[in-house]
Amino acid sequence: MLDKKAPVIIPCCGIDSVYGLMTQKIALQVATTAGKNTEILGLSYLVNGEIEAVQRITDTPCIIINGCFKECASNVVEIIGGDIAAEYAVDTLVAGFDMASLGDAVNLTQTGESQVGEIACSLIADVNNAIKGAQKC
Amino acid sequence: MLMHPKPIGLIACCGSECLGGYISRAVAASIVHQQRAGQVATISLPRLLIGTASEKKFSLNHPTITIDGCTKACARKAVEKYCFKPIVGVNIGELIGEQEALVTTEPNAFSTPQYLAELEKVSGIVTHVVDSLAAMYEKAKMAQNHSCDQGTCDCGCSGSSCECGCESGSRDMVHDDALHISGEHHVDGIVIYTKNGCPFCAKVLQEYKDKGIQFQEVNTSINVWAKKLCHDKYGSDKVPVVVKDGVVIQIGDNEGKG
């Protein structure tokens, strides 16, 4: 399934909380590190349901990064009929941390930045494993 | 005038594909959570499609400004498609340049002076748009509550043109308007004619402020005479109109957009 096309990373739009900001930064780090293997697709592009956007994720494995339990990114991709290869929720991944210690919707603290790095590293490993087999981060 | 009972709404595209999208999110978050905290509401764009009934009516309940990172204008289109047309649509590509807005972002780009400067610039423009819209609704609210003729106006205008929006004030302004339009009220220096919620006006105002150039802003949404003056004397139906010593030196922004 995953060898159809290079996967796309779809982060949520999260503007309400620190999780949304983390989601965006994680997606950027993963896409940058994975290089040609992945690209980011803005969720807002899919929200309209435009033909171009739908075609972009057709037969393409989607790596979804949600900020919170609302799982907006997963829900929108499901509605459009995208192929969800993996999905993550940042609030679950940082469950042991107090929200305030991570930062806010505008800025991340040192802890927040550190968590972004760790989660991104983990996701990069997953993405690479999905594409190439057992490649490590 | 359409009265909105709730605060102004801000919906950003948050597009992660390009710099414009990241700036849209950063600007919206900064305004909603810091600069105008408590005065501006926001919602994540997908909630218009998959949210609760209340969330889907967001732009119906809030006079909404959309911020798009690029010309795809996903946020504006989504708001129009799923809810009620936004009051203002800001396109960051038009503010920082289309090519610049479409640049693919690097993780370390967020701390560069260039990014911070563009963030501040766009933030200043959007804040101006938010403030001017808020002022417009506040004025409309005053107009609804005040009536000099009935003796209930508490603005102290006594029927003069205090811009409280009351009927007596408006009536007295007619004479004043005529003076402006006939050119008897001539203002030396630079005058920038703007209107509420205009991102191009905000952009030009920001540029003049950044350059330290003194100017006087005249809001055509508040001053009817100024709108007529722009049309009749300066031949422009759009703003901003920049006038220096009575001579038009610029219509629209640097690219003529208005």
PDB file of all heavy atoms in Angstrom, chain A residues 6 14 20 23 29 47-48 50 67 71 76 80 90 94 110 116 126:
ATOM      1  N   ALA A   6       4.789   8.573  -2.490  1.00  0.00           N
ATOM      2  CA  ALA A   6       5.416   9.048  -1.254  1.00  0.00           C
ATOM      3  C   ALA A   6       4.329   9.576  -0.326  1.00  0.00           C
ATOM      4  O   ALA A   6       3.375  10.209  -0.795  1.00  0.00           O
ATOM      5  CB  ALA A   6       6.406  10.140  -1.575  1.00  0.00           C
ATOM      6  N   GLY A  14      -4.766  23.268  14.337  1.00  0.00           N
ATOM      7  CA  GLY A  14      -4.807  23.672  15.742  1.00  0.00           C
ATOM      8  C   GLY A  14      -4.359  25.078  16.067  1.00  0.00           C
ATOM      9  O   GLY A  14      -3.175  25.354  16.144  1.00  0.00           O
ATOM     10  N   GLY A  20      -1.628  22.436  19.003  1.00  0.00           N
ATOM     11  CA  GLY A  20      -1.700  22.804  17.585  1.00  0.00           C
ATOM     12  C   GLY A  20      -0.367  23.333  17.078  1.00  0.00           C
ATOM     13  O   GLY A  20       0.085  22.989  15.983  1.00  0.00           O
ATOM     14  N   THR A  23       2.015  20.514  16.778  1.00  0.00           N
ATOM     15  CA  THR A  23       1.681  19.711  15.595  1.00  0.00           C
ATOM     16  C   THR A  23       2.332  20.278  14.344  1.00  0.00           C
ATOM     17  O   THR A  23       2.939  19.550  13.548  1.00  0.00           O
ATOM     18  CB  THR A  23       0.146  19.697  15.399  1.00  0.00           C
ATOM     19  OG1 THR A  23      -0.450  19.145  16.549  1.00  0.00           O
ATOM     20  CG2 THR A  23      -0.241  18.877  14.196  1.00  0.00           C
ATOM     21  N   GLN A  29       9.355  19.462  10.932  1.00  0.00           N
ATOM     22  CA  GLN A  29      10.620  18.744  11.182  1.00  0.00           C
ATOM     23  C   GLN A  29      10.638  17.404  10.464  1.00  0.00           C
ATOM     24  O   GLN A  29      11.646  17.003   9.889  1.00  0.00           O
ATOM     25  CB  GLN A  29      10.823  18.534  12.690  1.00  0.00           C
ATOM     26  CG  GLN A  29      11.301  19.774  13.404  1.00  0.00           C
ATOM     27  CD  GLN A  29      11.982  19.459  14.727  1.00  0.00           C
ATOM     28  OE1 GLN A  29      12.397  18.337  14.965  1.00  0.00           O
ATOM     29  NE2 GLN A  29      12.090  20.458  15.588  1.00  0.00           N
ATOM     30  N   VAL A  47     -10.153  20.879   3.433  1.00  0.00           N
ATOM     31  CA  VAL A  47     -11.445  21.221   4.030  1.00  0.00           C
ATOM     32  C   VAL A  47     -12.475  21.614   2.976  1.00  0.00           C
ATOM     33  O   VAL A  47     -13.648  21.262   3.069  1.00  0.00           O
ATOM     34  CB  VAL A  47     -11.277  22.354   5.080  1.00  0.00           C
ATOM     35  CG1 VAL A  47     -12.618  22.917   5.507  1.00  0.00           C
ATOM     36  CG2 VAL A  47     -10.523  21.838   6.285  1.00  0.00           C
ATOM     37  N   ASN A  48     -12.000  22.324   1.949  1.00  0.00           N
ATOM     38  CA  ASN A  48     -12.931  22.750   0.891  1.00  0.00           C
ATOM     39  C   ASN A  48     -13.408  21.603   0.024  1.00  0.00           C
ATOM     40  O   ASN A  48     -14.403  21.736  -0.694  1.00  0.00           O
ATOM     41  CB  ASN A  48     -12.263  23.798  -0.005  1.00  0.00           C
ATOM     42  CG  ASN A  48     -12.243  25.153   0.632  1.00  0.00           C
ATOM     43  OD1 ASN A  48     -13.185  25.499   1.340  1.00  0.00           O
ATOM     44  ND2 ASN A  48     -11.194  25.900   0.425  1.00  0.00           N
ATOM     45  N   GLU A  50     -11.919  20.463  -2.586  1.00  0.00           N
ATOM     46  CA  GLU A  50     -11.666  20.757  -4.001  1.00  0.00           C
ATOM     47  C   GLU A  50     -11.037  19.540  -4.686  1.00  0.00           C
ATOM     48  O   GLU A  50     -10.319  18.763  -4.074  1.00  0.00           O
ATOM     49  CB  GLU A  50     -10.755  21.978  -4.128  1.00  0.00           C
ATOM     50  CG  GLU A  50     -11.455  23.260  -3.722  1.00  0.00           C
ATOM     51  CD  GLU A  50     -10.549  24.475  -3.856  1.00  0.00           C
ATOM     52  OE1 GLU A  50      -9.550  24.373  -4.565  1.00  0.00           O
ATOM     53  OE2 GLU A  50     -10.866  25.493  -3.236  1.00  0.00           O
ATOM     54  N   GLY A  67      -3.725  17.425  16.853  1.00  0.00           N
ATOM     55  CA  GLY A  67      -3.286  18.108  18.062  1.00  0.00           C
ATOM     56  C   GLY A  67      -3.984  17.585  19.295  1.00  0.00           C
ATOM     57  O   GLY A  67      -3.373  17.379  20.332  1.00  0.00           O
ATOM     58  N   GLU A  71      -9.426  15.401  16.848  1.00  0.00           N
ATOM     59  CA  GLU A  71      -8.916  14.682  15.672  1.00  0.00           C
ATOM     60  C   GLU A  71      -9.460  15.248  14.345  1.00  0.00           C
ATOM     61  O   GLU A  71      -9.957  14.503  13.491  1.00  0.00           O
ATOM     62  CB  GLU A  71      -9.229  13.184  15.789  1.00  0.00           C
ATOM     63  CG  GLU A  71      -8.565  12.562  17.004  1.00  0.00           C
ATOM     64  CD  GLU A  71      -8.781  11.062  17.077  1.00  0.00           C
ATOM     65  OE1 GLU A  71      -9.801  10.592  16.532  1.00  0.00           O
ATOM     66  OE2 GLU A  71      -7.940  10.382  17.679  1.00  0.00           O
ATOM     67  N   VAL A  76     -11.306  14.872   8.693  1.00  0.00           N
ATOM     68  CA  VAL A  76     -11.421  15.485   7.368  1.00  0.00           C
ATOM     69  C   VAL A  76     -10.896  14.528   6.292  1.00  0.00           C
ATOM     70  O   VAL A  76     -11.529  14.343   5.241  1.00  0.00           O
ATOM     71  CB  VAL A  76     -10.663  16.834   7.303  1.00  0.00           C
ATOM     72  CG1 VAL A  76     -10.578  17.349   5.873  1.00  0.00           C
ATOM     73  CG2 VAL A  76     -11.345  17.867   8.183  1.00  0.00           C
ATOM     74  N   ILE A  80     -13.015  12.791   3.145  1.00  0.00           N
ATOM     75  CA  ILE A  80     -12.618  12.922   1.743  1.00  0.00           C
ATOM     76  C   ILE A  80     -12.297  11.556   1.131  1.00  0.00           C
ATOM     77  O   ILE A  80     -12.341  11.386  -0.082  1.00  0.00           O
ATOM     78  CB  ILE A  80     -11.418  13.888   1.626  1.00  0.00           C
ATOM     79  CG1 ILE A  80     -11.911  15.297   1.939  1.00  0.00           C
ATOM     80  CG2 ILE A  80     -10.792  13.857   0.251  1.00  0.00           C
ATOM     81  CD1 ILE A  80     -10.871  16.351   1.878  1.00  0.00           C
ATOM     82  N   VAL A  90      -0.977  14.544  19.376  1.00  0.00           N
ATOM     83  CA  VAL A  90       0.092  15.136  20.180  1.00  0.00           C
ATOM     84  C   VAL A  90      -0.270  15.155  21.662  1.00  0.00           C
ATOM     85  O   VAL A  90       0.575  14.905  22.519  1.00  0.00           O
ATOM     86  CB  VAL A  90       0.415  16.563  19.673  1.00  0.00           C
ATOM     87  CG1 VAL A  90       1.365  17.282  20.626  1.00  0.00           C
ATOM     88  CG2 VAL A  90       1.025  16.495  18.280  1.00  0.00           C
ATOM     89  N   VAL A  94       2.223  13.591  24.587  1.00  0.00           N
ATOM     90  CA  VAL A  94       2.852  14.363  25.673  1.00  0.00           C
ATOM     91  C   VAL A  94       2.011  14.266  26.949  1.00  0.00           C
ATOM     92  O   VAL A  94       1.987  15.194  27.759  1.00  0.00           O
ATOM     93  CB  VAL A  94       3.048  15.845  25.279  1.00  0.00           C
ATOM     94  CG1 VAL A  94       4.052  15.972  24.157  1.00  0.00           C
ATOM     95  CG2 VAL A  94       1.725  16.482  24.886  1.00  0.00           C
ATOM     96  N   GLN A 110      11.045  25.707  26.460  1.00  0.00           N
ATOM     97  CA  GLN A 110      12.164  24.807  26.161  1.00  0.00           C
ATOM     98  C   GLN A 110      11.687  23.358  26.207  1.00  0.00           C
ATOM     99  O   GLN A 110      12.070  22.540  25.362  1.00  0.00           O
ATOM    100  CB  GLN A 110      13.279  25.038  27.191  1.00  0.00           C
ATOM    101  CG  GLN A 110      14.605  24.417  26.812  1.00  0.00           C
ATOM    102  CD  GLN A 110      15.216  25.066  25.583  1.00  0.00           C
ATOM    103  OE1 GLN A 110      15.147  26.287  25.429  1.00  0.00           O
ATOM    104  NE2 GLN A 110      15.797  24.260  24.701  1.00  0.00           N
ATOM    105  N   VAL A 116       8.865  18.468  20.928  1.00  0.00           N
ATOM    106  CA  VAL A 116       8.676  18.498  19.472  1.00  0.00           C
ATOM    107  C   VAL A 116       9.786  17.694  18.796  1.00  0.00           C
ATOM    108  O   VAL A 116       9.541  16.866  17.913  1.00  0.00           O
ATOM    109  CB  VAL A 116       8.669  19.961  18.948  1.00  0.00           C
ATOM    110  CG1 VAL A 116       8.857  19.997  17.431  1.00  0.00           C
ATOM    111  CG2 VAL A 116       7.368  20.645  19.320  1.00  0.00           C
ATOM    112  N   ASP A 126       9.082   6.190  12.148  1.00  0.00           N
ATOM    113  CA  ASP A 126       7.887   5.474  11.671  1.00  0.00           C
ATOM    114  C   ASP A 126       7.691   5.649  10.167  1.00  0.00           C
ATOM    115  O   ASP A 126       7.377   4.698   9.452  1.00  0.00           O
ATOM    116  CB  ASP A 126       6.636   5.990  12.395  1.00  0.00           C
ATOM    117  CG  ASP A 126       6.586   5.511  13.835  1.00  0.00           C
ATOM    118  OD1 ASP A 126       7.439   4.680  14.207  1.00  0.00           O
ATOM    119  OD2 ASP A 126       5.710   5.980  14.571  1.00  0.00           O
TER     120      ASP A 126
END
